[in-house]
Amino acid sequence: MRDTTLLQLALGLAPPWTVSRSDFDPEAHRLDIEIDFAPGSRFACPTCGAADCPAYDTERMTWRHLNFFQHEAYLHARAPRVRCDKCGIKTVTVPWARPGSGFTLLFEALVMTMVAAMPVKAVARIVGEHDTRLWRVIHHYVDAARARTDASGVTRLAIDETAARRGQDYVTLFVDIDQARVMFATEGNDAATIAAFADDLTAHGGDPDAISQVCIDMSPAFTKGIAENLPNAAITFDKFHAVKIINDAVDKVRRVEQEEQDLLRGTRYLWLRNPQTLSARQRKTLGGLPTRHLKTARAYQIRLAFQDLYQQPSVQAGASYLKKWYFWATHSRIEPVIAAARTVKRHWDGILQWFDSKIANGLIEGINSMVQAAKGKARGYRSTRNLKAIIYLLAGKLDMRLPAL
Ligand SMILES: [Zn+2]
């Protein structure tokens, strides 16, 4: 078999395309394949699809293809422009690449498969391309798949923010709880962020009025944004954020108290964790403290009691439990605990809404770990746009429609 015939079969080329020659340079680790079409060939118009348009002229182009063994492979061809009666002069879309790309479809599919599994910089190093070119490919496929996303039927959301880089910028994630997918990721964490989501939802066939349950932290900006843009959504304040507010109070109490009580030194994490998660030794340390005299220990008990709210069997039981807890906390004479209890009071209904919705941002823990992985993969990239693209790629459950490798 001639090498041109072999390559033509391997590339899966159909008429009028044929391999006209190939040059293999083992020193340069490079295979160059020339593709051509027979004179007089006719092509479909890339715009309207009209068949049998004559070639008007050609433009020489090159595409990086999958490696030939350990050697880089490039396809070269004269890409014809056709004259269509309706559309005028248009560049024909070649079957092995999408318009405007310097890579073949299969090379792009390989890149997209690799970036889902490792940092983009690492992929760039392995394939020997500048990562700017790879980001262009990533954005193309993610944008195209996002455009196809169907948001109809979305009713329950978890909304959470994540620091984009070094805690400076925030990206807010909107997660469709029922399908465990990131619907929308956007810069910022204010009321306008919710408005941007509502627009995006509508653009993808969803209905802001159909959103019935949302879980958020206690951010007043989110609360305001939801009232304005998701008018039928009942707010659940995320229980992990609620517990954290009480936990922060415990930590504040300990920090002040250990100025006088040396025995509290080195005990910080004992108070911040749950008893079940402590090691035997840590439990012993905690048990050995004269807890009755410590404000820290009382604050800690109040925090544990708050967590028990979520063990109550019904919203009625929960409401009466929370009332008792609030009385206890506000009569503790421990300032940080009283302040935390007042915060709870201000978010009362949204905390109790949990009994109805049973939603929490912790439900999206799997997504959170994917987002952390996304940060790793986008590392070294200042642009939040890149981070968002990787978040969608990993956690958006997108239909990427890549050619099969
Ligand atoms: Zn046309």
Side-chain angles (χ1 to χ4, degrees), residues 258-284:
Q258 79 172 17
E259 298 299 318
E260 298 153 13
Q261 300 274 7
D262 266 351
L263 53 89
L264 278 174
R265 291 196 186 278
T267 64
R268 178 166 189 229
Y269 292 99
L270 303 185
W271 307 107
L272 295 182
R273 291 170 60 180
N274 286 327
Q276 319 81 272
T277 67
L278 296 177
S279 69
R281 213 182 65 191
Q282 289 172 319
R283 259 200 295 266
K284 206 171 150 212

Side-chain angles (χ1 to χ4, degrees), residues 45 47-50 84 86-87:
C45 166
T47 307
C48 72
C84 170
K86 214 157 83 190
C87 314

Side-chain angles (χ1 to χ4, degrees), residues 119-121 124 130-135 139 164-165 375-387 390:
V120 176
K121 260 193 184 331
H130 199 282
D131 45 11
T132 313
R133 292 191 80 192
L134 302 193
W135 279 112
H139 285 301
R165 50 188 168 107
K375 286 185 193 175
K377 291 190 206 326
R379 197 160 38 222
Y381 268 83
R382 299 230 189 98
S383 114
T384 309
R385 180 169 175 245
N386 288 348
L387 175 63
I390 298 287

Side-chain angles (χ1 to χ4, degrees), residues 277-297:
T277 67
L278 296 177
S279 69
R281 213 182 65 191
Q282 289 172 319
R283 259 200 295 266
K284 206 171 150 212
T285 309
L286 193 60
L289 290 167
T291 48
R292 221 184 306 181
H293 307 290
L294 294 171
K295 272 188 188 174
T296 305

